[in-house]
Amino acid sequence: MSYEVTVEPTGDVIEVEEGQTILDAALRQGVWLPFACGHGTCATCKVQVLEGEGDLGNASPFALMDMEREEGKILACCCTPESDMVIEADIDVDEDFAGYPVLDFVGTVTEVQDLSPTIKGIFFELDNTMEFQAGQYINLNIPGVEGNRAFSIANKPSDGKTLELHVRLVPGGAGTTYLHEQLQVGDTLDVSGPYGQFFVRKSDEQGAIFIAGGSGLSSPQSMILDMLEEGDGRQITLLQGARNVSELYNRELFENLDNEFSNFTYVPALNAPEEGDNWEGFTGFVHEAANAHFDGRFDGNKAYLCGPPPMIDAAITTLMHGRLFERDIHMERFVTAADGAEEQSKSALFKRI
């Protein structure tokens, strides 16, 4: 049995199977709804029901308060229809968003690399080609782990039958512990994607500033490789932050790109270099490196941020002080099931970010 859900104000109609959430059905049919965490804690996918009934599922009481439930609001990531429905969503789709539908794949592990003491590069061959925009992410179904885990895609879209992930070991994290300690070449995992609204605004010809920390390098890597492959002529700057040289992974890749492409600049920064690192580059946090490199003025650029929340917050503050504003700052925000709603807090200065 299935139900029809009409999305206003666009008028899109999606078929939702019994037991399927509205969000999952929409993404698999190429209909975009705003969302972030995907499991009922962040409230990004909150919509108004105009007609029909649905099961609210495991929506957090913090994300969907009792008063909102009484008003007919639901979380699209949790709600399963119990009749045909009409919902109203706050939809603002960027003109550069391709809107590829979410599909299912089987990925076979072809290689596992130690990128740093805490980050592994995991490479898959997919059973079919995945269409995606550089900067998007996938969900992995990991054996013995409840729920899916999200990881950014590090390879460029033209390599659509391969999948490169950069996975940081999270202490106590069941998913990343499995991937670091048990995953072997030849294993197969279920993959779904692409997801996310983190992508290069290619119609805007301003320069592109990428600020990355930790395994947050994966999305910028995909985006930069894609731009350079397409012959994008705008000025592209990557600022990569790490604690020490051992954590500054894929450094050689970007140094080579810096030498090969006149419009690409690579600026690595270490905030705690070790004595044996013999570090001669920028010492400090990556947002400080950005401020120094651009002399405190970022206007005329778009910025793409990916990394730990403290790095994101510091980078946003630095960019704003340097006259870059909300419309030109983009980031990906991941919330795991263990994080809870409090980690999905948003800056009071930003409506969109």
Side-chain angles (χ1 to χ4, degrees), residues 115-119 212-215 217 240-252 255 266 268-286:
L115 297 178
S116 83
T118 60
I119 299 172
S215 60
L217 180 65
Q240 180 187 5
R243 286 184 56 81
N244 50 52
V245 166
S246 67
E247 292 288 350
L248 192 69
Y249 74 92
N250 283 2
R251 175 185 176 189
E252 184 177 352
E255 288 177 339
Y266 174 54
L270 301 183
N271 68 288
E274 297 178 350
E275 186 175 345
D277 286 341
N278 299 315
W279 182 245
E280 297 180 356
F282 186 90
T283 300
F285 292 101
V286 69

Side-chain angles (χ1 to χ4, degrees), residues 23-143:
L23 178 63
D24 184 64
L27 295 177
R28 290 177 179 275
Q29 293 168 55
V31 175
W32 187 80
L33 294 175
F35 77 101
C37 74
H39 42 67
T41 61
C42 76
T44 304
C45 67
K46 189 180 297 178
V47 299
Q48 178 71 47
V49 176
L50 302 180
E51 297 178 18
E53 302 291 335
D55 185 331
L56 298 181
N58 60 347
S60 162
F62 299 102
L64 190 66
M65 295 181 290
D66 289 341
M67 179 179 66
E68 293 176 312
R69 296 169 190 243
E70 293 172 1
E71 293 173 347
K73 290 184 170 59
I74 61 170
L75 300 186
C77 72
C78 296
C79 181
T80 55
E82 296 178 322
S83 70
D84 291 345
M85 299 176 70
V86 179
I87 62 172
E88 185 176 37
D90 184 11
I91 297 176
D92 182 18
V93 180
D94 192 287
E95 63 176 324
D96 288 312
F97 180 55
Y100 295 119
V102 171
L103 299 173
D104 295 316
F105 304 87
V106 175
T108 302
V109 180
T110 58
E111 186 178 2
V112 180
Q113 293 181 355
D114 288 325
L115 297 178
S116 83
T118 60
I119 299 172
K120 285 189 182 291
I122 302 176
F123 298 79
F124 295 86
E125 181 178 349
L126 300 177
D127 58 339
N128 285 299
T129 299
M130 179 190 294
E131 289 186 297
F132 67 94
Q133 284 183 273
Q136 292 190 290
Y137 67 93
I138 56 86
N139 278 337
L140 272 188
N141 189 331
I142 302 172

Side-chain angles (χ1 to χ4, degrees), residues 280-339:
E280 297 180 356
F282 186 90
T283 300
F285 292 101
V286 69
H287 67 278
E288 297 170 333
N291 196 57
H293 182 78
F294 286 93
D295 293 325
R297 290 294 298 268
F298 301 98
D299 47 319
N301 293 281
K302 278 194 173 290
Y304 302 89
L305 318 178
C306 199
M311 186 218 82
I312 296 288
D313 293 341
I316 289 173
T317 300
T318 299
L319 292 168
M320 290 188 68
H321 285 166
R323 301 193 180 185
L324 204 65
F325 302 106
E326 180 182 0
R327 67 180 179 273
D328 291 321
I329 301 175
H330 306 279
M331 55 177 280
E332 183 63 285
R333 186 184 297 272
F334 289 110
V335 181
T336 69
D339 290 329

Side-chain angles (χ1 to χ4, degrees), residues 201-208 232-235 300-302:
R201 273 60 180 180
K202 293 184 179 180
S203 65
D204 190 316
E205 296 181 354
Q206 297 184 96
D232 196 308
R234 79 191 76 188
Q235 290 300 310
N301 293 281
K302 278 194 173 290

